[in-house]
Amino acid sequence: MMFCDIQFCYNIQTMEKNYDPKLIEETLYAWWEKSGYFQPRGNGEPFSVVIPPPNVTGVLHIGHALNHTLQDIIVRQKRMQGYKVCWMPGSDHAGIATQNVVEKQLKKDKVSRHDLGREGFLEKVWDWKSQYGSRITEQIRKMGQSVDWSRERFTMDEGCQEAVLDHFIGLYEAGHIYRGKRIINWCPRCHTALSDIEVNHKDINGHLWHIAYKAEDGTEIVVATTRPETMFGDTAVAVHPEDERYQHLIGKTVRLPLTGRDIPIVADEHVEKDFGTGAVKVTPAHDPNDFEIGQRHDLERILVMDESGIMNENAPADYQGLDRFKCRKVLIAQLETDGNLVKIDDHAISRGECYRCNTVVEPYLSNQWFVAMKELAGPAIEAVQSGQINFHPKGRWEKLYFEWMNNIRDWCISRQIWWGHRIPVYYRKDNPDEYIVSKTPPADIENYIQDEDVLDTWFSSSLWPFSTFGWPKETDDLKDFYPTALLITGYDIITFWVSRMITMGIHEMKEIPFKDVYIHGLVRDIDGRKMSKSIGNAIDPLDLVEQYGADAMRFGLSSLATLGGQDMKLAEDKIESSRNFANKIWNVTRYLFMVLDDVSAPIKPSDALKSENPIDQWVISKLHGTIQEVNASYLEFNYAKSSDLLWDFVWNQFCDWYIEASKIRKEEAASTLAYGLVTALKLLHPSMPFVTDHIWQELQKHPKITLDETVDSISISQWPELDTKRINPDLEETIDTLIDIIRETRKLRKESNIALSKTCNLILIPDSESKKLALESDIPLIQKLAKVDQVTFLSATDETPSQCAASVTNQTQLLIPLEGLIDLGEEKARLEKQLTALENDYMIQSKKLSNPGFVDKAPEAVVAKVKEKADQTQTEINLLKQQIEQLSTAA
């Protein structure tokens, strides 16, 4: 056996009272990695997942922690189920973001990238990546994620560069990539084009300026604009061809204010004649819709600002050199002075901002490279429609996907930065309109110059599910692990990334990139606000790991991830309670070691399956029911449900009830205690890997227990095998009734203020002989756990003591004789309060059952359940009335 090099303490006297993750996690993870447990093993069915590559610039936030934990839970479970698992790690070069970070560092030394030149600047970026790029991988390790580090990839590594070149050239040769002058989203701060989904839209209160343009016949046409500074680039005014107000002006001209330039009035069906004045200014170089109008009418395209958003030589002299927003203020003042400003309306607008620096984006005419997406999107739409790819949850995220794909626009893929995959296009120096597209420079390179731009970061990321396995080479990994089984990601990058991986995966591989897509929500603070450093509510996952341990963070986060993929509200006490849960498991182990100290011979957990003791069989039934439900919840990606199931079994059923019940028969129950713990450890391992594997190894070394598996790590042990024959609903109902009676007796003692130092007796009046016989066999258990002396059974017709505390549960009446123990008046008041609550419940149930809308429309089983509950409530009301009457008589 090869164990992790951690001090083991299977002696109860030396085992720490509380679980301390700091003593275990780092060493244990290093041992896992060194032992190769995260690499594909065996000959089982392949199961592969690629990690959504985090940006190399950053540190992992709480959203990453959630995403990686949800992936790891499924990956660890599949590994234990015998699948040949490959979980591919990696990071993204994050073109714009990384370049911004390095440029900011250079700025501190008063150096710009242009001072260094392209090659010198790229050396600085690679140096930065070497120095800081490992931060994320170390964070992933600290959170316990079982990725295969031997396969770690980077979107700018040699293999990915080859894949990107092959992909670009293939798309170009197939006619899917073209170069053209079109309106793109331009960031004046980053000096680069942005695709539509790299623009964040913010709803703000803006203005609509109404400006009068004088027609050649002396009349005025009023146009409205939210960006008046672009009017210097107007090359027409457009009206609808059927708008009778302007029929006489179509084909004539208007004078553009402050320029002395005349522009034509054109008729175009794009114009909404019922909106505003029915006349719009046309600025083909600064608006995508105007660009289309300009193409239809062969209008000139005039750029009126430079790449920094500064007004250029095409603006009047007084405005040249002004920032676009300063120009707006000066221009509006001048229009008002000249009498051309008709009015200003308040107007809500959706303002586009750069997703990296939040600068207001400028629609800008530019020569760029594009992917024609319409044809490529067709098979990607069909893959989801046909069910080859399934979104979880299905409804709203599929809808978002289809809305994006059915209205897809051409994708601008060129970026005016230096860090990234340089576009493999070479232009002739003497004729830039002549170029070649090639993986390698032309032989006469002195006559050519390579395109200065790089490709959009998402261009390389779209290849991630197959480039990481070796494509375009035909590798064994590609054969084994493509398509991948599962993608887990947030809904915020369905359009950015998910849609493009599906599109390009089908195009290049002729096969879908993954079969299932689980979309989780965003992690928000307890008030539902988005976490942000600026408002001080951000939670650093590594701080949680430091304070509570990785297992607590993982279990706490996964317990919030529901089937519906809703956003989650995270409070730190959720992680704290998960830490307490880890400690509970630790203390169960300490108790088992204490029991093992006293057993006469070594025990084997599977011997529990031979036990005929009803309590043993009950907990085994509950355990296999939990296995069944946990398996089902993982299949439907309902992490919150699986967490609740495991918490309920371990804390409530196993610890609170089974262990307490087993204390009167410790040696006899030792195998069942071990079986329950070992099986629970396996079920919990995917979400709490550290504490479960450490305890597993503690158990392996204990001389009084022989585990049924002898693998070194629980991470490669066999997932618990479900045996439905072990699930016994009748037995569960019987023991659950026993538990309810014990619980209700404890409650009755407490509510009656019977001190624990005082002895009391218990009278039980079951509603059936069979229930009585079942309970009689467990009298010692009732005495111990309910802390009562004598347990007596009566029938419903027997006379009962007049002074009793009473309650009812599972149609069994509970009586504690009170003579000499409590104040009878207070007990009567308590029962009357309980009676009032039950009568209110019965009134609600009766009202529901008398409602034809419910009785006729609700499922038959639901109606039957409500009727059964109402009957039970009525029985309990009658019994309470009898007890109140007896107390009244006694008084």
Side-chain angles (χ1 to χ4, degrees):
M1 300 293 288
M2 181 184 68
F3 294 111
C4 174
D5 188 21
I6 297 175
Q7 179 65 42
F8 288 92
C9 41
Y10 49 77
N11 188 312
I12 184 64
Q13 279 74 37
T14 58
M15 190 173 181
E16 293 291 335
K17 197 170 184 181
N18 294 307
Y19 172 61
D20 186 352
K22 291 180 182 177
L23 299 177
I24 291 167
E25 291 183 350
E26 187 174 345
T27 305
L28 187 54
Y29 191 92
W31 177 72
W32 285 336
E33 192 176 339
K34 180 182 177 182
S35 301
Y37 293 140
F38 302 159
Q39 296 174 17
R41 303 169 64 87
N43 299 310
E45 181 184 341
F47 184 92
S48 58
V49 179
V50 290
I51 204 168
N55 288 352
V56 72
T57 52
V59 294
L60 297 185
H61 52 65
I62 198 72
H64 289 117
L66 170 73
N67 178 268
H68 293 177
T69 295
L70 299 184
Q71 291 177 74
D72 198 31
I73 287 172
I74 298 298
V75 162
R76 285 181 181 270
Q77 186 212 22
K78 293 296 182 183
R79 192 177 288 125
M80 294 172 74
Q81 288 178 325
Y83 287 82
K84 185 179 180 182
V85 173
C86 180
W87 187 16
M88 177 75 71
S91 54
D92 193 287
H93 66 279
I96 296 174
T98 305
Q99 179 154 322
N100 281 346
V101 167
V102 177
E103 285 195 85
K104 284 179 182 177
Q105 285 190 341
L106 293 174
K107 192 175 181 180
K108 293 176 183 177
D109 299 327
K110 298 182 179 178
V111 176
S112 75
R113 64 182 167 114
H114 300 287
D115 295 332
L116 297 174
R118 188 180 193 117
E119 295 306 315
F121 176 73
L122 291 178
E123 283 183 19
K124 289 286 186 184
V125 181
W126 280 109
D127 288 345
W128 182 92
K129 194 264 180 187
S130 298
Q131 185 174 356
Y132 297 104
S134 63
R135 290 182 303 184
I136 285 175
T137 61
E138 289 310 309
Q139 290 172 322
I140 291 173
R141 287 177 167 91
K142 282 186 177 295
M143 290 189 286
Q145 319 302 1
S146 62
V147 295
D148 182 359
W149 291 110
S150 69
R151 285 175 162 78
E152 184 181 1
R153 300 300 302 270
F154 178 54
T155 53
M156 282 278 286
D157 66 27
E158 186 177 336
C160 285
Q161 290 197 42
E162 181 183 356
V164 167
L165 286 173
D166 201 271
H167 183 55
F168 182 95
I169 291 168
L171 288 176
Y172 176 80
E173 290 176 348
H176 297 303
I177 284 182
Y178 66 92
R179 187 169 185 254
K181 220 167 190 180
R182 301 179 69 87
I183 296 290
I184 48 91
N185 303 299
W186 182 264
C187 176
R189 155 65 181 77
C190 297
H191 283 191
T192 185
L194 303 171
S195 67
D196 289 342
I197 52 180
E198 291 172 313
V199 177
N200 293 330
H201 289 274
K202 182 184 292 184
D203 293 331
I204 64 167
N205 295 320
H207 296 95
L208 194 62
W209 287 274
H210 298 257
I211 305 169
Y213 289 14
K214 291 201 176 190
E216 61 184 75
D217 66 354
T219 60
E220 289 183 344
I221 289 184
V222 176
V223 298
T225 180
T226 59
R227 297 160 59 223
E229 65 277 7
T230 64
M231 65 173 279
F232 298 130
D234 288 1
T235 53
V237 167
V239 297
H240 194 278
E242 297 176 1
D243 194 333
E244 296 179 359
R245 293 170 293 176
Y246 301 115
Q247 288 295 312
H248 65 293
L249 293 176
I250 295 172
K252 298 188 171 11
T253 61
V254 293
R255 175 64 54 92
L256 187 63
L258 306 178
T259 66
R261 181 158 53 88
D262 291 334
I263 57 176
I265 301 170
V266 299
D268 195 281
E269 291 186 349
H270 170 76
V271 180
E272 296 178 41
K273 61 181 180 179
D274 297 325
F275 181 78
T277 64
V280 297
K281 61 190 283 299
V282 182
T283 320
H286 288 277
D287 183 273
N289 293 320
D290 293 1
F291 177 84
E292 301 295 335
I293 293 174
Q295 281 195 311
R296 288 192 287 272
H297 298 277
D298 197 24
L299 299 176
E300 187 181 2
R301 304 164 183 167
I302 302 174
L303 277 169
V304 296
M305 58 186 79
D306 66 15
E307 293 179 349
S308 298
I310 304 299
M311 306 307 291
N312 65 15
E313 70 280 1
N314 292 324
D318 291 345
Y319 298 89
Q320 292 175 19
L322 294 180
D323 172 81
R324 53 187 168 155
F325 299 119
K326 174 66 174 175
C327 171
R328 179 183 296 178
K329 290 181 181 179
V330 175
L331 172 59
I332 292 302
Q334 189 62 52
L335 289 171
E336 189 169 21
T337 299
D338 294 350
N340 292 106
L341 185 64
V342 177
K343 64 175 180 174
I344 304 173
D345 289 335
D346 292 332
H347 185 69
I349 60 174
S350 179
R351 185 174 70 191
E353 297 179 354
C354 174
Y355 80 115
R356 279 296 168 194
C357 67
N358 300 321
T359 300
V360 177
V361 167
E362 188 66 36
Y364 198 77
L365 183 67
S366 182
N367 220 0
Q368 302 287 341
W369 287 93
F370 295 87
V371 178
M373 292 296 296
K374 201 72 179 174
E375 183 180 338
L376 291 168
I381 294 170
E382 168 61 23
V384 178
Q385 284 179 335
S386 65
Q388 295 177 67
I389 297 175
N390 293 292
F391 278 77
H392 308 270
K394 202 170 185 68
R396 56 177 171 163
W397 303 131
E398 278 191 355
K399 182 181 178 184
L400 174 63
Y401 175 82
F402 288 134
E403 283 177 354
W404 173 258
M405 296 297 279
N406 286 321
N407 298 286
I408 197 80
R409 295 172 65 174
D410 288 357
W411 174 15
C412 177
I413 56 171
S414 44
R415 297 291 180 270
Q416 288 64 52
I417 56 176
W418 288 349
W419 172 244
H421 294 275
R422 194 167 178 180
I423 293 176
V425 174
Y426 300 85
Y427 304 92
R428 283 198 65 89
K429 291 178 180 178
D430 58 357
N431 181 13
D433 290 334
E434 183 183 329
Y435 57 83
I436 60 173
V437 178
S438 172
K439 282 186 179 182
T440 56
D444 54 340
I445 185 61
E446 65 276 4
N447 297 320
Y448 288 84
I449 185 170
Q450 187 175 356
D451 197 306
E452 292 287 330
D453 294 349
V454 301
L455 291 163
D456 177 12
T457 295
W458 298 100
F459 190 86
S460 53
S461 298
S462 69
L463 315 180
W464 192 246
F466 50 97
S467 65
T468 50
F469 290 119
W471 185 87
K473 296 175 182 174
E474 295 182 6
T475 65
D476 289 339
D477 273 0
L478 194 62
K479 181 180 178 182
D480 282 350
F481 298 122
Y482 187 91
T484 64
L486 171 67
L487 176 72
I488 297 180
T489 188
Y491 60 73
D492 51 335
I493 54 175
I494 290 175
T495 51
F496 274 91
W497 190 45
V498 179
S499 66
R500 289 169 175 169
M501 283 191 292
I502 295 173
T503 300
M504 298 311 173
I506 293 173
H507 175 74
E508 293 291 6
M509 301 296 296
K510 314 306 177 193
E511 197 170 2
I512 57 173
F514 29 72
K515 299 165 188 173
D516 290 289
V517 183
Y518 172 69
I519 304 294
H520 59 74
L522 304 182
V523 183
R524 299 182 179 274
D525 71 9
I526 193 61
D527 297 315
R529 298 175 301 173
K530 189 173 182 179
M531 290 196 183
S532 166
K533 288 182 180 178
S534 61
I535 61 177
N537 67 340
I539 297 176
D540 186 335
L542 292 189
D543 288 345
L544 297 178
V545 171
E546 175 67 22
Q547 186 169 357
Y548 302 107
D551 288 335
M553 184 204 68
R554 291 163 61 102
F555 191 84
L557 287 176
S558 65
S559 69
L560 298 172
T562 62
L563 178 62
Q566 295 92 344
D567 286 353
M568 293 149 252
K569 295 180 181 179
L570 175 64
E572 200 164 315
D573 59 7
K574 184 72 171 177
I575 311 301
E576 184 178 6
S577 65
S578 299
R579 188 269 316 275
N580 297 341
F581 184 51
N583 207 52
K584 189 78 168 178
I585 301 162
W586 182 259
N587 283 321
V588 172
T589 308
R590 293 180 76 246
Y591 175 73
L592 174 61
F593 287 173
M594 184 178 71
V595 171
L596 293 176
D597 285 345
D598 296 330
V599 298
S600 56
I603 60 105
K604 197 172 184 179
S606 60
D607 286 345
L609 302 177
K610 302 172 185 176
S611 174
E612 296 181 0
N613 180 276
I615 301 298
D616 289 347
Q617 292 178 344
W618 167 80
V619 80
I620 290 170
S621 177
K622 288 287 189 182
L623 179 54
H624 279 269
T626 301
I627 294 169
Q628 187 176 51
E629 291 193 76
V630 167
N631 286 344
S633 65
Y634 281 152
L635 284 174
E636 62 183 12
F637 305 103
N638 194 341
Y639 296 90
K641 183 179 179 182
S642 64
S643 299
D644 289 345
L645 289 165
L646 292 170
W647 180 293
D648 183 54
F649 174 77
V650 171
W651 198 300
N652 298 330
Q653 296 161 7
F654 191 58
C655 294
D656 284 357
W657 291 107
Y658 179 73
I659 289 179
E660 289 304 309
S662 72
K663 286 180 179 178
I664 60 175
R665 40 184 288 276
K666 289 182 182 179
E667 182 162 359
E668 184 188 342
S671 290
T672 305
L673 180 61
Y675 180 77
L677 175 61
V678 168
T679 308
L681 290 175
K682 290 184 174 188
L683 292 171
L684 283 164
H685 178 71
S687 52
M688 305 184 86
F690 289 106
V691 68
T692 54
D693 204 10
H694 182 68
I695 292 173
W696 173 269
Q697 294 180 52
E698 294 268 8
L699 292 169
Q700 292 268 38
K701 285 198 167 187
H702 200 291
K704 289 286 189 77
I705 184 171
T706 303
L707 295 187
D708 298 285
E709 284 183 90
T710 55
V711 293
D712 299 340
S713 169
I714 197 173
S715 65
I716 55 169
S717 69
Q718 184 179 343
W719 183 255
E721 187 175 347
L722 171 64
D723 184 352
T724 54
K725 294 178 182 177
R726 297 285 173 185
I727 302 174
N728 187 336
D730 292 337
L731 176 63
E732 287 189 25
E733 184 179 354
T734 298
I735 303 301
D736 287 348
T737 297
L738 172 66
I739 289 171
D740 286 343
I741 286 171
I742 294 169
R743 185 185 289 117
E744 195 64 28
T745 304
R746 290 172 173 177
K747 179 182 173 186
L748 201 55
R749 283 192 63 132
K750 185 177 180 181
E751 290 179 346
S752 301
N753 293 317
I754 302 173
L756 291 176
S757 59
K758 293 184 178 181
T759 59
C760 66
N761 298 321
L762 177 65
I763 298 171
L764 297 176
I765 308 175
D767 65 336
S768 67
E769 186 65 21
S770 60
K771 188 176 289 184
K772 176 189 173 185
L773 291 172
L775 291 170
E776 280 181 331
S777 65
D778 290 309
I779 286 177
L781 199 57
I782 296 172
Q783 289 171 318
K784 178 175 176 56
L785 298 184
K787 292 183 170 48
V788 296
D789 285 346
Q790 293 182 345
V791 178
T792 306
F793 288 87
L794 297 177
S795 68
T797 58
D798 290 337
E799 185 177 347
T800 60
S802 59
Q803 299 175 5
C804 289
S807 186
V808 180
T809 183
N810 282 306
Q811 296 183 321
T812 297
Q813 190 175 2
L814 286 71
L815 303 173
I816 296 179
L818 297 175
E819 186 174 358
L821 292 176
I822 64 154
D823 184 294
L824 297 182
E826 289 181 359
E827 174 60 10
K828 181 184 174 188
R830 184 188 70 80
L831 292 178
E832 287 173 340
K833 184 178 179 180
Q834 188 178 347
L835 177 63
T836 301
L838 282 172
E839 287 176 335
N840 286 336
D841 289 344
Y842 185 73
M843 184 174 65
I844 293 169
Q845 293 155 0
S846 299
K847 188 174 181 181
K848 187 175 281 190
L849 291 169
S850 63
N851 179 5
F854 170 74
V855 175
D856 296 338
K857 295 179 181 178
E860 188 176 329
V862 173
V863 175
K865 191 170 183 179
V866 173
K867 187 176 186 309
E868 181 185 354
K869 186 67 177 172
D871 291 342
Q872 184 177 336
T873 304
Q874 182 64 67
T875 299
E876 293 176 1
I877 286 171
N878 293 336
L879 290 170
L880 279 177
K881 284 181 176 179
Q882 289 177 24
Q883 291 305 311
I884 292 170
E885 184 179 349
Q886 285 182 348
L887 285 175
S888 299
T889 303

